[in-house]
Amino acid sequence: MGEMAAPLLLVFCSLICWVSIYIFLRQLNCQRCCEWSCRLVTLVHGVLIVCLSGYVGFIDGPWPFTHPGSPNTQLQTHVLCLSLGYFIFDMCWCIYFKTEGLVMLSHHSLSILGIGMVLDLEQSATEVNAVIFGSEVTNPFLQARWFLRQTGRYHTLLGDIVDILFIVLFCSVRIGVGARLLYCELSSPVPLPIVKLGGVAMYMVSWVFMVSIARFAWRKSIHKYKTWRERSQLGVHPQINGHTKKVC
């Protein structure tokens, strides 16, 4: 019980920090809606946790593709506690304001349960940190899309660039690299079955998101193509009786 006291304290401190940041941003952006401040908190967490989990997983080690199920390091524990505090905050916020659907709430629930589980087991933080990195690397672009919509700049070249980067990163990292990580997790005899089951569940949630993203990408591509064709047709000046037809 004493060994779990330190992580619990870190999670509590993390939760207080994220709530404090949200309150500060609400005061700073009192003319904006509550979601504006919450999205800013999400953006801060996304950028910060990508940097930290990336360093922990791919520089400090151990390598998640070759050492799944290894004992937690102190740095891994600190990063997981920081992220767990955020997910608890965001989960409570989403439930209170009823802004998210079942899929996002399932993602948050699995994240909270998964991080809590590896902190309690004191192993498998290696691959969970990698999962967090993959899950959050697309988050800044997702938030950027929302802010561009709110400020009326989504239907611009910048909005198209953000969409393309988001889709490419999601497909390559969360689906592509995620599949490789899941294979290493399932084929290794070290991780516990419950951890493997959690990895499968998280990857399935990623595929649910992928289906929605694919539908969005298809609709946007069709819309862009139709817009291009309409502009092309307007740019053509057909000849009628030897005279150019005026396009109004």
Side-chain angles (χ1 to χ4, degrees):
M1 184 67 181
E3 295 180 353
M4 274 300 295
L8 285 174
L9 180 60
L10 288 174
V11 172
F12 179 75
C13 291
S14 171
L15 176 60
I16 295 300
C17 286
W18 292 118
V19 172
S20 299
I21 293 173
Y22 172 74
I23 293 174
F24 170 75
L25 291 173
R26 280 294 299 139
Q27 296 295 322
L28 198 64
N29 300 280
C30 54
Q31 75 281 5
R32 300 282 188 177
C33 63
C34 295
E35 188 171 0
W36 181 280
S37 299
C38 186
R39 293 270 182 174
L40 286 176
V41 174
T42 301
L43 179 61
V44 171
H45 170 263
V47 173
L48 180 62
I49 213 65
V50 163
C51 295
L52 292 176
S53 61
Y55 174 81
V56 168
F58 306 114
I59 298 177
D60 187 69
W63 186 245
F65 297 97
T66 56
H67 294 79
S70 56
N72 301 351
T73 67
Q74 186 177 22
L75 187 55
Q76 288 172 343
T77 299
H78 289 168
V79 173
L80 289 181
C81 289
L82 178 65
S83 196
L84 181 55
Y86 161 77
F87 279 118
I88 293 173
F89 156 76
D90 199 51
M91 181 77 168
C92 294
W93 192 94
C94 292
I95 292 175
Y96 181 80
F97 286 97
K98 301 178 180 178
T99 58
E100 300 294 343
L102 181 60
V103 179
M104 183 60 73
L105 293 179
S106 299
H107 172 270
H108 277 31
S109 299
L110 287 172
S111 299
I112 292 171
L113 292 173
I115 296 174
M117 179 177 61
V118 299
L119 288 175
D120 182 48
L121 295 173
E122 298 184 355
Q123 68 179 71
S124 291
T126 302
E127 57 266 40
V128 172
N129 262 297
V131 170
I132 291 176
F133 174 84
S135 298
E136 294 299 315
V137 73
T138 56
N139 191 280
F141 298 99
L142 184 64
Q143 305 312 317
R145 294 177 70 248
W146 188 87
F147 285 114
L148 287 173
R149 285 184 181 277
Q150 295 299 306
T151 54
R153 288 178 287 182
Y154 177 70
H155 298 289
T156 62
L157 178 61
L158 180 59
D160 292 338
I161 293 173
V162 169
D163 277 342
I164 292 172
L165 289 175
F166 172 74
I167 294 170
V168 169
L169 274 175
F170 196 99
C171 294
S172 59
V173 177
R174 291 189 67 164
I175 301 301
V177 180
R180 176 62 181 172
L181 181 62
L182 182 62
Y183 170 78
C184 295
E185 178 80 6
L186 296 177
S187 60
S188 173
V190 180
L192 296 175
I194 187 67
V195 178
K196 295 183 178 184
L197 182 62
V200 172
M202 281 296 290
Y203 191 67
M204 289 177 65
V205 170
S206 292
W207 264 106
V208 173
F209 283 129
M210 185 68 246
V211 171
S212 298
I213 291 170
R215 290 175 176 172
F216 159 78
W218 174 256
R219 289 195 303 267
K220 183 162 185 173
S221 299
I222 294 299
H223 175 72
K224 289 288 184 181
Y225 176 71
K226 288 181 177 179
T227 302
W228 174 79
R229 290 222 27 202
E230 290 174 359
R231 289 178 178 176
S232 298
Q233 290 174 356
L234 288 175
V236 175
H237 302 278
Q239 298 287 328
I240 298 180
N241 297 326
H243 300 280
T244 302
K245 181 182 178 181
K246 182 179 179 181
V247 180
C248 299

